[in-house]
Amino acid sequence: MKLYFTPFACSLAARIALEEAGLDAEYVQVPRDLRLPDGRDFTEISPMGYVPAIETGTGFVLTEGPAVLTYIAELAPEGSLSFTGFSDAHYRMLAWLNFVSTELHKAVFMPILGKGYGVAEQDAARARHARPFAVLSKHLEGREYLDDRFTVADAYLLAVLNWCEYSKVPIAEWPVLAAYRERIRARPAVARAMAAEWPLLQAA
């Protein structure tokens, strides 16, 4: 299994999930020009050119962060990253994955960190952080994780919250979220995943 990633992008969540599950994978860094070490263009694997992407030994390719994370969760030992299928908790996890994807990743951070957005669009995106941050803060008050235990939804949320300072999104004004982020960062598998990517980010 190969995970195509960019250091500290949303693909960090997939690396965290693989670490948490103890699953083996080859990690392939996607460069800015999308030209992979084997000569292929990354868009042959991920047509939109986005990470993460998973490629299995059988040729199965999966893109889109929530789908990749759900796939990893289902490969993991039962209960380690997800909940039993068809349970309320399982569907809550899927809802949180999509909440992070749409309300934070795409609506807030993509216009700030992505290419082709103007200053007005970036400022508007920053202003949009308040409503989803308020929802998350209320939900996480008195909770360690988004649900009863760590899941791939927490991995995704952590990857996105890592971007706050760089994007000038004021996480310090949301103490519940700031404390949550520190708790998740302290998990051994999360710390290993971040430590593996930090030197690559610095060299980029």
Side-chain angles (χ1 to χ4, degrees), residues 13 69 96-97 99-100 104 133 136 140 146 151-163 177 180-181 184:
L69 289 168
W96 282 120
L97 282 171
F99 181 92
V100 175
L104 291 177
F133 271 30
L136 285 165
L140 286 167
L146 288 169
T151 71
V152 289
D154 293 289
Y156 192 9
L157 180 55
L158 179 277
V160 169
L161 292 179
N162 276 340
W163 305 334
L177 286 185
Y180 166 86
R181 187 177 69 172
I184 303 301

Side-chain angles (χ1 to χ4, degrees), residues 42-67:
F42 182 55
T43 56
E44 295 177 32
I45 296 161
S46 176
M48 292 295 292
Y50 296 152
V51 294
I54 285 276
E55 185 177 29
T56 69
T58 62
F60 174 65
V61 176
L62 187 64
T63 61
E64 300 299 329

Side-chain angles (χ1 to χ4, degrees), residues 85-178:
F86 302 105
S87 66
D88 291 350
H90 176 75
Y91 292 110
R92 285 197 302 267
M93 182 197 77
L94 295 180
W96 282 120
L97 282 171
N98 284 280
F99 181 92
V100 175
S101 178
T102 58
E103 305 299 337
L104 291 177
H105 187 174
K106 296 295 185 181
V108 176
F109 291 98
M110 181 65 79
I112 300 170
L113 299 173
K115 298 178 181 178
Y117 295 90
V119 173
E121 292 171 296
Q122 292 175 341
D123 289 344
R126 284 190 189 90
R128 282 196 294 269
H129 88 277
R131 189 172 182 184
F133 271 30
V135 169
L136 285 165
S137 292
K138 182 178 178 180
H139 177 75
L140 286 167
E141 185 74 49
R143 293 175 178 267
E144 191 170 358
Y145 307 114
L146 288 169
D147 214 298
D148 294 336
R149 61 176 180 268
F150 181 90
T151 71
V152 289
D154 293 289
Y156 192 9
L157 180 55
L158 179 277
V160 169
L161 292 179
N162 276 340
W163 305 334
C164 284
E165 287 82 358
Y166 184 79
S167 303
K168 298 180 181 178
V169 173
I171 192 171
E173 296 177 8
W174 303 86
V176 170
L177 286 185

Side-chain angles (χ1 to χ4, degrees), residues 21-44:
L23 296 172
D24 291 329
E26 177 185 348
Y27 295 93
V28 180
Q29 184 173 345
V30 179
R32 291 176 189 235
D33 65 1
L34 303 183
R35 183 64 58 186
L36 297 171
D38 64 7
R40 288 183 296 171
D41 191 292
F42 182 55
T43 56
E44 295 177 32

